[in-house]
Amino acid sequence: MVHISRICFRKYGNFVDNLRLYVRGGTGGMALPRLGGHGGNGGNVWVVATQNMTLKRIKDKYPLKRFVGGSGANSSVRALKGEKGKDEEILAPIGITVTSDDGRILGELNAEGDRVLVAKGGSGGTPCSSFEPKKGQVKHIRLDLKLIADLGLVGFPNAGKSSLLTALSNATPQIASYAFTTLRPEIGKVAYPDYKQISIADLPGLIEGAHLNRGMGHKFLKHVERTKQLLFVVDVGGFQLASKTPRRSAFEAVQLLTKELELYKEELVSKPSLLVVNKMDLPEADQMLEELKEQLQNPEEFTNLLPDDMIPKNFITFRHVVPISALTGFGVDHLKSCIRLSLDEYAAMETGATHQKKLQALRQQSHECFRNEDKVSLSSGVGGTRRATS
């Protein structure tokens, strides 16, 4: 058991999704009291989103993990105003949340070129500071990567997520018959005839208690937060993690996955979701699928099958329930169509909501303009009446 856990750690160690860094703003430059000169401000430290960058690359390139802004130039006879120190930029991957050591969010990097100021340089010496410069801010920060993808695969180990990703996309995740094969996230791209591409994230399988950080709990769950939709994957025949753990039916697996997401962060359950019922090549798969569909239509009537601590507050209504066999390819093309339809519908709704918000904002601005005009007209009228009376 110890040997297996070491292997898991080593393989997952190739993927870094959290990094702690020391950052310090540059010190301000010295002033020149006899001529009233001002020292230059110290350089700032920024985290900047860029393509083709990973946290592992930062870790390997900067083993000390220290980033310091340049010092401000001193004031001199030739330059009474000292030059500002050079800013230090930490190039980081897109999808980073920057936090302080106490967990306070400093900013997010959601698109290329996004910037977060993490340490401000100290001000140069001036008459107001008795010509004494100040030191820059000193902090420890954390760069926390949350993958950005259109869809996130949610399932227990060995449900067939990696096989499905291979069947859908150009990704080549590790696939085997033992439970924990996905030890680091994989991103695959699904291409369509109209050249539209959809990204799918295959994430390490959940186990019961993942919300308590058991297994790879938080390493998995945090990546689900930035996916637009969820793609639940269950084995039509159910799931058993080990010989000492109870066997869960496909219905129980769906509800337990829902409960784990709910306990980690309740908003995750409100994401649009699809359900993939995998391994339809198994004997009696059709019969088990019909039973699952019946249970999903009225989940409240089947809560007696679940332990009390497994019952979610809200049952998920899936947009599509798609039976497939990742092994034989059955249903994969239909699943691609369902994924595209669901994402297109979501995009249309999002666009409509954005337009509605903009329209409401314009209407509000118009009303405010009319009110201001009425006030101006009223005040002008009152002034005119007064002048006429006098």
Side-chain angles (χ1 to χ4, degrees), residues 250-270:
F251 174 73
E252 289 176 293
V254 170
Q255 304 314 327
L256 184 54
L257 288 169
T258 303
K259 186 68 176 178
E260 289 296 340
L261 292 176
E262 190 177 75
L263 289 171
Y264 176 72
K265 188 165 284 189
E266 205 162 328
E267 308 91 83
L268 293 179
V269 184
S270 63

Side-chain angles (χ1 to χ4, degrees), residues 145-256:
L145 176 66
K146 295 178 183 177
L147 295 177
I148 299 175
D150 295 308
L151 285 165
L153 296 182
V154 179
F156 287 118
N158 211 28
K161 301 188 306 300
S162 298
S163 300
L164 175 59
L165 188 65
T166 301
L168 285 171
S169 72
N170 57 0
T172 54
Q174 184 183 2
I175 299 169
S177 58
Y178 55 90
F180 293 99
T181 52
T182 303
L183 300 175
R184 60 186 179 87
E186 296 274 356
I187 294 286
K189 293 282 186 181
V190 182
Y192 289 86
D194 62 353
Y195 302 106
K196 170 77 173 178
Q197 287 193 336
I198 287 171
S199 57
I200 299 180
D202 176 24
L203 307 163
L206 281 175
I207 65 169
E208 295 181 40
H211 68 281
L212 299 173
N213 209 18
R214 291 176 188 162
M216 293 184 182
H218 292 176
K219 282 184 178 294
F220 161 82
L221 288 166
K222 70 174 186 177
H223 292 299
V224 180
E225 293 182 48
R226 286 192 179 176
T227 58
K228 294 177 183 175
Q229 299 191 10
L230 304 179
L231 193 63
F232 283 65
V233 184
V234 296
D235 185 331
V236 69
F239 168 72
Q240 186 176 20
L241 180 64
S243 58
K244 294 183 180 180
T245 59
R247 184 169 190 83
R248 306 295 188 188
S249 68
F251 174 73
E252 289 176 293
V254 170
Q255 304 314 327
L256 184 54

Side-chain angles (χ1 to χ4, degrees), residues 12 17 45 73 159 183 221 257 262 265 283 296 321 363 373 383:
Y12 197 89
D17 59 4
V45 181
L183 300 175
L221 288 166
L257 288 169
E262 190 177 75
K265 188 165 284 189
L296 290 174
V321 177
R363 284 175 179 167
E373 287 176 4

Side-chain angles (χ1 to χ4, degrees), residues 78-388:
R78 292 184 178 181
L80 290 179
K81 173 63 178 174
E83 288 187 7
K84 182 179 181 294
K86 184 180 178 182
D87 286 354
E88 178 74 6
E89 292 187 348
I90 307 169
L91 300 182
I94 298 167
I96 288 290
T97 299
V98 186
T99 62
S100 57
D101 247 4
D102 59 4
R104 185 168 54 90
I105 295 177
L106 304 178
E108 293 187 341
L109 307 177
N110 295 320
E112 186 174 10
D114 284 357
R115 302 165 65 85
V116 176
L117 177 63
V118 292
K120 194 173 180 181
S123 54
T126 66
C128 296
S129 64
S130 302
F131 300 99
E132 289 294 325
K134 293 185 177 179
K135 293 182 179 180
Q137 291 178 330
V138 179
K139 294 178 187 174
H140 279 98
I141 63 167
R142 291 187 180 273
L143 304 184
D144 192 33
L145 176 66
K146 295 178 183 177
L147 295 177
I148 299 175
D150 295 308
L151 285 165
L153 296 182
V154 179
F156 287 118
N158 211 28
K161 301 188 306 300
S162 298
S163 300
L164 175 59
L165 188 65
T166 301
L168 285 171
S169 72
N170 57 0
T172 54
Q174 184 183 2
I175 299 169
S177 58
Y178 55 90
F180 293 99
T181 52
T182 303
L183 300 175
R184 60 186 179 87
E186 296 274 356
I187 294 286
K189 293 282 186 181
V190 182
Y192 289 86
D194 62 353
Y195 302 106
K196 170 77 173 178
Q197 287 193 336
I198 287 171
S199 57
I200 299 180
D202 176 24
L203 307 163
L206 281 175
I207 65 169
E208 295 181 40
H211 68 281
L212 299 173
N213 209 18
R214 291 176 188 162
M216 293 184 182
H218 292 176
K219 282 184 178 294
F220 161 82
L221 288 166
K222 70 174 186 177
H223 292 299
V224 180
E225 293 182 48
R226 286 192 179 176
T227 58
K228 294 177 183 175
Q229 299 191 10
L230 304 179
L231 193 63
F232 283 65
V233 184
V234 296
D235 185 331
V236 69
F239 168 72
Q240 186 176 20
L241 180 64
S243 58
K244 294 183 180 180
T245 59
R247 184 169 190 83
R248 306 295 188 188
S249 68
F251 174 73
E252 289 176 293
V254 170
Q255 304 314 327
L256 184 54
L257 288 169
T258 303
K259 186 68 176 178
E260 289 296 340
L261 292 176
E262 190 177 75
L263 289 171
Y264 176 72
K265 188 165 284 189
E266 205 162 328
E267 308 91 83
L268 293 179
V269 184
S270 63
K271 286 179 180 284
S273 302
L274 297 83
L275 175 63
V276 174
V277 185
N278 193 18
K279 304 189 181 179
M280 289 301 294
D281 51 285
L282 295 177
E284 301 181 1
D286 291 333
Q287 182 181 338
M288 290 186 284
L289 175 65
E290 290 307 313
E291 182 181 347
L292 173 60
K293 284 183 175 179
E294 182 186 348
Q295 291 168 330
L296 290 174
Q297 283 179 352
N298 300 290
E300 296 85 358
E301 296 179 10
F302 296 93
T303 52
N304 61 303
L305 300 174
L306 305 167
D308 291 341
D309 59 349
M310 272 180 58
I311 302 173
K313 291 181 184 177
N314 299 293
F315 294 100
I316 292 178
T317 301
F318 294 99
R319 292 189 166 197
H320 302 277
V321 177
V322 187
I324 70 150
S325 170
L327 182 65
T328 66
F330 164 75
V332 172
D333 287 338
H334 178 54
L335 175 59
K336 285 184 180 181
S337 300
C338 292
I339 289 172
R340 177 68 183 271
L341 178 63
S342 182
L343 285 169
D344 286 349
E345 287 174 350
Y346 176 79
M349 288 172 57
E350 205 173 40
T351 302
T354 303
H355 287 169
Q356 192 66 28
K357 284 181 181 178
K358 288 181 179 178
L359 187 61
Q360 288 177 351
L362 287 171
R363 284 175 179 167
Q364 189 172 354
Q365 286 177 6
S366 298
H367 288 318
E368 288 176 359
C369 286
F370 285 133
R371 278 199 293 268
N372 291 335
E373 287 176 4
D374 289 341
K375 287 178 182 178
V376 171
S377 300
L378 185 61
S379 62
S380 299
V382 171
T385 304
R386 285 175 179 168
R387 284 192 295 273

Side-chain angles (χ1 to χ4, degrees), residues 59-70:
K59 183 180 178 183
D60 293 343
K61 188 175 180 180
Y62 304 98
L64 296 179
K65 294 178 283 186
R66 293 172 61 91
F67 297 87
V68 180

